[in-house]
Amino acid sequence: MILLGPPGVGKGTQGVLLADVHGMSRIVTGDLLRSARAEGTPLGLEAQRYMDAGELVPDGVMNALVKECLESVPDGRGVVFDGFPRTDVQATALQGTLEELGRAIDHVIVLEAENDVLVRRIAGRRSCPECGCVFNVYSNSAEQEGLCDRDQSPLVHRADDEPETVRRRLEIYHELTEPLIAFYEQSDVSVSYVPGDQAVEDAQSAIRSVILLMTPHDPSEDA
Ligand code: AP5
């Protein structure tokens, strides 16, 4: 399943909840890059200058990274993609990798919200660098200020969450990533739209309803 949507719309927030409920793996390219950066690997050092400027890391790097992750997911285990694909080159590469692995995208969930909602959320975001949980000083604060509810790690405000960088990330989303909605609409993948500007729990219920609706149902299982 792909969670698609602009920066700050709630892909990470919803992805964590979905993966927990459905026992799925998450492939979160932003988190993978931030970990590589924290570890000072060559990938992390290369990625840093793009991320700090709000630009996309080159497709070749991202495609190789995601392929490696996908190959380590156990057969039959579902995957939530968050932050990938982001360009038509990445979308095509993902299809190729999935075909090689005998797998396919079942759902694309498009989360939507206006820019002013996104900018406020990003300003208030605090993230756990360990488990990827996200909080917000305005709407979803941690139980203990500054500490992750799940593993008590100190929360951080991301370097690329400064207003000027956020503006660039939004521009890039509209220019390069939003067109992927049409790409998937024209394929045989189910594409559903969920408002991202509702409460976290309501967005989560809406996503789960969409998944239930779009998942083929075997009536013999009801007996
Ligand atoms: P990435 O980390 O993927 O950032 P993003 O896509 O810009 O998305 P965000 O993480 O900002 O937002 P989100 O939608 O996950 O929202 P969240 O749940 O956190 O990418 C960062 C950078 O890495 C890119 O700019 C690029 O340089 C590079 N990169 C990554 N992938 C790449 C790729 N494939 N190719 C090339 N480069 C790549 O929520 C935001 C805040 O709002 C939180 O505080 C949360 O608590 C709050 N919130 C969430 N939902 C709600 C709600 N319903 N109500 C109120 N508050 C809410």
Side-chain angles (χ1 to χ4, degrees), residues 160-189:
D160 62 343
D161 280 351
E162 292 307 317
E164 201 177 312
T165 316
V166 170
R167 268 195 295 279
R168 181 64 189 141
R169 286 164 57 201
L170 284 167
E171 276 172 14
I172 291 198
Y173 172 76
H174 292 301
E175 190 186 327
L176 296 176
T177 308
E178 205 170 25
L180 295 185
I181 299 172
F183 173 93
Y184 285 113
E185 286 274 16
Q186 285 154 20
S187 70
D188 52 7
V189 173

Side-chain angles (χ1 to χ4, degrees), residues 27-30 32 43 59-73 79 81-85 90 93-94 97-98 101:
I27 295 187
V28 184
T29 44
L32 291 171
L43 163 68
D59 288 330
V61 175
M62 298 311 302
N63 291 339
L65 183 65
V66 169
K67 187 165 195 253
E68 193 186 318
C69 283
L70 259 178
E71 285 169 349
S72 68
V73 173
V79 176
F81 291 96
D82 164 356
F84 189 91
Q90 293 181 13
L94 178 60
T97 302
L98 289 172
L101 297 171

Side-chain angles (χ1 to χ4, degrees), residues 5 10 16 37 44 74 77 82 86 91-92 99 104 122 126-127 131 134 136 146-147 155 168 172 176 178 182 201 213:
V16 168
R37 211 167 62 170
R77 187 177 169 100
D82 164 356
R86 263 173 145 104
T92 306
E99 274 167 28
I122 289 175
R126 301 293 179 268
S127 320
C131 71
V134 282
N136 199 284
L147 296 181
L155 300 176
R168 181 64 189 141
I172 291 198
L176 296 176
E178 205 170 25
E201 306 71 38
L213 202 68

Side-chain angles (χ1 to χ4, degrees), residues 16 25-26 35-36 46 56 64 79 115 141 153 162 165 171 179 203 210 221:
V16 168
S25 296
R26 295 168 68 226
S35 300
E46 184 185 354
L56 294 186
V79 176
N115 279 3
S141 53
S153 300
E162 292 307 317
T165 316
E171 276 172 14
V210 160
E221 286 177 5

Side-chain angles (χ1 to χ4, degrees), residues 216-223:
H217 177 67
D218 178 357
S220 67
E221 286 177 5
D222 295 341

